[in-house]
């Protein structure tokens, strides 16, 4: 590791003994359903009545220890159970997993208070693409660090993490993603690690942190993890297939094969262990490649094929670990008593056992650590920021993450072009007091409403799932409560989603010649904004309840078309047995409200003459008569109760979104 990087890592304070945590897991067994239900239209719920016959076992009596000051690596081929085991140890066990065994932190089960001392870095770097590196860490610090810390102290912690991880040069670069160029892959991974280092965790868990990185960048990252471990932290990480230099930096190793432990002990002693079992590693071969070949069942001998060798190595490891729970260490003897006569004779038959079984054992035991102080734990607040501060920080962050979305040139051009074209198509068609002009105005009002509402619904449908994934990750870390995220999102919708539609409303309204009144214009604008929020809420509900985008799109299409057809514009006389659908259509209420605003108190004539009021050839229509002539849903002079119906839709749909978020992101400690 370069000297500059090494010095910067030391900027992070060491964990004092009273805050150090030892992780122990004993006889962990895990099962998942043999067949998972295909995601469909309705949300699926966990079936708690499955018996063992309906389940497939993915973990088999896995035991081990991760102590402060060491790096424990979980290795194994794809599908060996590395990520599942790490999720279980980090308190993020999926609902579908049936778990048995114990996971202890300083001898006690995992609690929500202890969980906030565990840093967990996912394999997929879930971050907001439009935030800079500094903004990402800043908002995380303000939300996660304790309330008793001042704002200046929290900002200082951010600067410390930036220096420790070598992110100072890219602090003002956005994270980026598929469509936006941002930081490099190595920098992105270090930001994910820094996100967890902000809370100065006692235990740091990482799921394949070197995945997608080049050898040098991966080596620097693992060197950083070793320095963090030397500061009194317990580091637990999964690694798929490390290079030789990377493997030599590991302290302890747990090798998994289809859910079984096939080796546990010193990382650098694995070649010696397998040599004593009769599997000598070829000269010059990377140890990581050799042991992964063994765990995959591709190493053969004269008497055993690859699968038989794998099963034999699993049996030897399980028999040895039953009497040596700390694992295998360098120069530790292996005797017939420990392996049993059958396994011992099998190993002896290959005549490659260590000729000196009585060599002196060299066992290094880590010292235990004391449990957390009850006094300090009792004073610790549940949240890093107060409730109002959470809403303020999340609102500010949401506005920043959606700034590219709100100011996208394509969207600005779209609203302006559509507004100008529709204004030209209906140019002054609604001016005057004729019934013919009013029919054109009805089409303009329906188009204005439909364009804004359908665009908002589809936008919410596809924009919500990525934010939901980030929310699940942040909620698992205890950053904020669901309601604060919900209110921040709802408040951000008003400036973000209502600004550009307002431009279209202005263009369409005045170019189309709708009612020339300030009160009518602002009532029209407020109604369209209310419809937009209701349509967006429906999109959020569908996006939150239905995980598959294609299924969600199909449901949205059917729902939207049904609501449009019963709104009273395309079909005015619907059969009674199906006409009830209009009462569950927000489009029906919105269109009726816009018609009420346009024609309330007005008299229209069946001619287009200059002075229709004093011309005996013209007949005037208002109220009920106007409703019949224009085929309106209701008498335009009646009280506009449709606004209350739309508000009710908005509240009900937003409440459904909140309940869905609360259910899906419920913090569970298992």
């Amino acid at each position: 590791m370069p000297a500059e990087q090494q010095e910067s890592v030391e900027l992070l304070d060491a964990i004092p003994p009273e805050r150090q945590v030892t992780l122990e897991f004993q006889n962990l067994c895990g099962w998942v359903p043999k067949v998972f239900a295909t995601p469909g239209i309705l949300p699926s719920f966990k079936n708690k009545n499955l018996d063992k016959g309906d389940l497939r076992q993915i973990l088999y009596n896995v035991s081990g220890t991760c102590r402060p000051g060491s790096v424990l690596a979980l290795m194994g081929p794809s599908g060996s159970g590395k990520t599942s085991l790490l999720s279980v140890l980090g308190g993020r066990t999926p609902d579908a997993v049936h778990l048995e065994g114990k996971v202890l932190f300083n001898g006690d089960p995992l609690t929500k208070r202890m969980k906030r001392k565990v840093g967990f870095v996912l394999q997929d770097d879930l971050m907001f693409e439009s935030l800079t590196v500094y903004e990402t860490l800043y908002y995380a610090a303000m939300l996660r660090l304790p309330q008793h810390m001042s704002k200046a102290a929290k900002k200082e912690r951010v600067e410390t993490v930036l220096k420790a991880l070598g992110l100072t040069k890219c602090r003002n670069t956005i994270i980026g993603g598929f469509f936006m160029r941002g930081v490099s892959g190595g920098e992105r991974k270090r930001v994910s690690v820094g996100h967890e280092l902000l809370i100065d965790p006692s235990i740091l868990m990482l799921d394949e942190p070197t995945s997608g990185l080049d050898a040098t960048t991966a080596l620097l990252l693992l060197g950083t993890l070793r320095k963090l471990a030397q500061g009194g932290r317990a580091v637990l990480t999964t690694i798929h297939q490390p290079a030789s230099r990377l493997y030599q930096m590991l302290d302890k190793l747990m090798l998994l094969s289809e859910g079984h432990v096939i080796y546990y002990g010193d990382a650098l002693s694995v070649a010696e262990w397998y040599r004593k079992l009769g599997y000598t590693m070829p000269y010059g071969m990377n140890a990581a490649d050799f042991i992964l070949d063994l765990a995959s069942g591709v190493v053969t001998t004269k008497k055993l094929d690859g699968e038989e060798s794998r099963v034999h190595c699993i049996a030897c490891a399980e028999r040895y670990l039953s009497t040596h729970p700390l694992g295998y260490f360098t120069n530790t003897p292996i005797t017939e008593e420990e392996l049993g006569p059958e396994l011992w004779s099998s190993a002896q038959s290959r005549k490659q056992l260590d000729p000196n079984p009585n060599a002196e054992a060299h066992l290094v035991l880590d010292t235990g650590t004391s449990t957390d102080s009850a006094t300090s734990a009792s004073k610790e607040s549940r949240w890093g920021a107060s409730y109002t501060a959470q809403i303020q920080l999340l609102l500010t962050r949401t506005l920043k993450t959606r700034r590219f979305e709100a100011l996208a040139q394509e969207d600005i051009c779209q609203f302006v072009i559509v507004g100008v074209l529709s204004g030209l198509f209906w140019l002054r068609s609604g001016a005057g007091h004729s019934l013919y002009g009013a029919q054109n105005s009805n089409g303009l009002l329906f188009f204005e409403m439909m364009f804004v509402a359908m665009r908002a619904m589809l936008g919410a449908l596809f924009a919500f799932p990525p934010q939901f994934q980030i929310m699940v990750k942040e909620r698992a870390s205890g950053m904020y409560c669901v309601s604060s995220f919900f209110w921040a999102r709802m408040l951000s919708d008003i400036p973000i989603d209502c600004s550009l539609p307002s431009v279209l409303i202005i263009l369409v309204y005045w170019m189309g010649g709708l009612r020339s009144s300030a009160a009518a214009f602002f009532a029209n604008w407020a109604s369209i904004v209310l419809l937009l929020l209701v349509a967006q809420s429906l999109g959020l509900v569908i996006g939150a309840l239905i995980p598959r985008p294609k299924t969600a799109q199909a449901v949205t299409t059917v729902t939207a078309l049904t609501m449009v057809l019963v709104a009273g514009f395309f079909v005015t006389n619907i059969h009674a047995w199906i006409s009830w659908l209009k009462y569950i259509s927000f489009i029906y209420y919105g269109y009726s409200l816009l018609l009420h605003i346009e024609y309330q108190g007005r008299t229209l004539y069946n001619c287009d003459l200059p002075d229709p009021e004093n011309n005996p050839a013209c007949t005037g229509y208002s109220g009920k008569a106007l409703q019949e002539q224009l085929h309106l849903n209701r008498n335009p002079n009646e009280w506009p109760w449709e606004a209350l119906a739309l508000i009710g839709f908005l509240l009900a749909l937003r409440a459904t979104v909140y309940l869905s978020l609360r259910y899906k992101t419920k913090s569970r400690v298992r």
Side-chain angles (χ1 to χ4, degrees):
M1 177 182 295
E4 180 182 356
Q5 178 76 2
Q6 184 174 358
E7 291 176 0
S8 63
V9 173
E10 293 174 353
L11 293 173
L12 292 177
D13 295 332
I15 301 293
E18 64 273 9
R19 286 191 56 231
Q20 294 180 3
V21 177
T22 297
L23 169 64
E24 298 178 72
F25 44 103
Q26 304 170 1
N27 301 320
L28 290 181
C29 296
W31 292 264
V32 295
K34 291 182 179 179
V35 179
F36 286 92
T38 302
I41 294 179
L42 298 177
S44 59
F45 299 92
K46 181 182 176 184
N47 187 353
K48 299 181 179 180
N49 297 322
L50 294 175
D51 55 30
K52 291 293 180 65
D54 300 320
L55 300 174
R56 176 174 61 89
Q57 191 165 0
I58 58 173
L59 294 175
Y60 296 82
N61 295 312
V62 180
S63 300
T65 304
C66 184
R67 298 183 182 276
S70 64
V71 178
L72 172 60
L74 302 177
M75 287 183 58
S78 298
S80 60
K82 304 186 299 294
T83 299
S84 298
L85 176 59
L86 192 71
S87 300
V88 169
L89 299 180
R92 298 168 185 245
T93 309
D95 283 342
V97 177
H98 176 75
L99 185 67
E100 292 181 1
K102 295 181 179 180
V103 179
L104 304 176
F105 294 78
N106 283 343
D108 298 320
L110 181 63
T111 62
K112 290 185 177 181
R113 189 177 300 276
M114 176 62 72
K115 192 175 182 180
R116 287 191 290 273
K117 299 178 182 179
V118 178
F120 198 100
V121 180
L122 299 173
Q123 180 179 357
D124 298 325
D125 305 317
L126 297 176
M127 292 177 287
F128 290 103
E129 298 178 355
S130 56
L131 289 182
T132 65
V133 171
Y134 177 79
E135 288 172 343
T136 300
L137 297 180
Y138 170 79
Y139 286 113
M142 293 300 164
L143 289 167
R144 299 187 70 180
L145 293 179
Q147 295 186 32
H148 62 77
M149 288 184 66
S150 64
K151 185 177 181 179
K154 293 180 179 180
K155 294 176 70 174
E156 183 179 356
R157 176 67 64 83
V158 173
E159 296 294 339
T160 300
V161 171
L162 286 172
K163 292 179 182 178
L165 297 178
L167 297 171
T168 305
K169 293 182 180 179
C170 61
R171 59 181 295 145
N172 295 321
T173 305
I174 64 172
I175 298 299
F178 186 79
F179 295 105
M180 289 189 295
R181 186 177 180 86
V183 297
S184 66
E187 290 168 338
R188 185 184 181 95
K189 184 66 68 174
R190 279 181 279 163
V191 175
S192 295
V193 177
H195 198 282
E196 301 302 321
L197 289 184
L198 288 170
I199 62 172
D200 202 11
S202 300
I203 298 181
L204 183 61
M205 300 184 183
L206 308 96
D207 189 8
E208 297 199 16
T210 60
S211 178
L213 304 182
D214 59 85
T216 302
T217 304
L219 190 65
L220 291 175
L221 179 58
L222 192 57
T224 301
L225 297 180
R226 280 186 59 88
K227 282 291 181 181
L228 294 172
Q230 291 171 6
R233 299 168 184 85
V235 178
L236 181 63
T237 179
T238 63
I239 296 182
H240 180 60
Q241 194 162 7
S244 178
R245 289 192 303 166
L246 199 67
Y247 179 81
Q248 292 174 7
M249 299 181 67
L250 302 176
D251 296 324
K252 295 188 69 175
L253 169 69
M254 176 172 285
L255 182 64
L256 297 174
S257 176
E258 297 185 7
H260 295 272
V261 177
I262 194 171
Y263 175 79
Y264 174 59
D266 274 348
L268 299 182
S269 303
V270 65
E272 177 184 314
W273 163 264
Y274 283 114
R275 178 171 55 83
K276 291 181 178 181
L277 295 184
Y279 296 91
T280 301
M281 184 176 68
Y283 178 77
M285 186 177 185
N286 181 8
D289 295 336
F290 177 68
I291 62 177
L292 286 175
D293 287 345
L294 274 170
S296 301
V298 298
V299 177
T300 62
T301 67
K302 293 182 179 180
K303 294 186 177 181
L304 299 177
D305 61 18
E307 179 61 20
E308 291 172 338
S309 293
R310 186 186 72 86
V311 174
H312 171 72
C313 290
I314 291 175
C316 291
E318 291 179 344
R319 181 63 182 265
Y320 182 82
L321 293 176
S322 65
T323 55
H324 298 76
L326 294 178
Y328 180 78
F329 295 87
T330 302
N331 297 328
T332 302
I334 303 178
T335 63
E336 179 179 0
E337 181 180 356
E338 292 169 325
L339 291 184
E342 183 179 353
L343 296 176
W344 174 261
S345 61
S346 177
Q348 283 280 15
S349 66
R350 287 185 289 276
K351 297 183 179 180
Q352 293 180 359
L353 283 174
D354 191 330
N356 185 15
N358 297 320
E360 182 181 358
H362 179 66
L363 184 63
V364 181
L365 296 179
D366 293 328
T367 58
T369 58
S370 60
T371 58
D372 294 336
S373 172
T375 304
S376 60
S378 62
K379 295 181 179 180
E380 184 180 354
S381 175
R382 180 180 180 185
W383 306 108
S386 63
Y387 186 75
T388 55
Q390 288 181 25
I391 296 178
Q392 179 184 0
L393 290 166
L394 291 173
L395 175 60
T396 307
R397 188 183 72 170
T398 304
L399 293 175
K400 286 190 175 183
T401 56
R402 300 179 67 187
R403 60 181 181 260
F404 294 108
E405 170 190 339
L407 303 176
Q409 295 181 359
E410 311 86 54
D411 290 343
I412 296 175
C413 293
Q414 181 186 32
F415 276 102
V416 172
I417 292 174
V418 171
V420 171
L421 287 178
S422 56
L424 292 175
F425 294 151
W426 277 280
L427 186 63
R428 307 302 297 169
S429 62
H433 300 279
S434 67
L435 291 175
Y436 176 76
Q439 292 174 352
N440 290 331
S441 297
N442 291 354
L444 178 59
L445 291 171
F446 191 80
F447 169 79
E448 174 192 31
M449 171 189 65
M450 287 305 303
F451 178 78
V452 173
M454 293 300 103
R455 192 181 184 279
M457 183 186 301
L458 293 176
L461 181 68
F462 294 109
F464 188 72
Q467 293 190 13
F468 176 77
Q469 293 177 359
I470 296 178
M471 181 191 176
V472 171
K473 167 196 168 185
E474 294 178 339
R475 281 281 296 142
S477 300
M479 286 183 63
Y480 47 76
C481 53
V482 177
S483 59
S484 60
F485 175 87
F486 172 80
W487 285 114
R489 169 70 199 211
M490 298 306 105
L491 293 174
S492 70
D493 288 340
I494 298 176
I496 293 293
D497 297 321
C498 299
S499 54
L500 290 181
S502 298
V503 176
L504 181 136
I505 294 171
I506 294 173
L507 292 172
V508 168
Y509 193 92
W510 296 111
M511 292 181 68
L514 296 175
R515 193 170 187 176
S516 299
S517 166
F521 167 74
F522 284 110
N524 179 282
W525 173 83
S527 300
I528 295 295
V529 169
L530 181 58
L531 274 165
L532 180 151
L533 295 175
V534 173
Q536 183 189 59
S537 302
L538 182 58
L540 290 174
V541 168
I542 297 175
L545 294 179
I546 304 177
R548 294 183 63 191
K550 188 174 182 180
T551 305
Q553 186 178 13
V555 172
T556 304
T557 301
V558 174
T559 303
L561 286 177
T562 303
M563 291 185 173
V564 169
L565 293 176
V566 299
F569 179 77
F570 294 107
V571 184
T572 55
N573 296 317
I574 305 177
H575 294 290
W577 62 272
I578 200 174
S579 62
W580 60 270
L581 287 174
K582 65 184 179 182
Y583 297 113
I584 60 174
S585 168
F586 72 91
I587 299 293
Y588 168 79
Y589 296 107
Y591 183 51
S592 299
L593 181 59
L594 292 176
L595 293 175
H596 170 84
I597 295 171
E598 183 66 19
Y599 300 119
Q600 182 187 23
R602 291 182 63 182
T603 300
L604 300 182
Y605 300 87
N606 60 353
C607 62
D608 195 11
L609 299 176
D611 189 13
E613 296 182 10
N614 300 319
N615 193 321
C618 299
T619 304
Y621 300 92
S622 63
K624 186 69 175 178
L626 184 62
Q627 175 190 358
E628 295 175 354
Q629 290 294 319
L630 295 179
H631 302 287
L632 305 180
N633 294 329
R634 288 200 315 116
N635 185 341
N637 291 335
E638 293 179 353
W639 192 77
W641 54 266
E642 293 91 347
L644 296 179
L646 289 175
I647 294 174
F649 268 99
L650 179 63
L651 296 178
L653 290 173
R654 296 283 172 161
T656 304
V657 173
Y658 172 75
L659 293 176
S660 176
L661 291 177
R662 189 169 185 84
Y663 173 78
K664 289 193 171 185
T665 63
K666 185 178 180 181
S667 179
R668 300 176 177 88
V669 174
R670 299 177 58 192

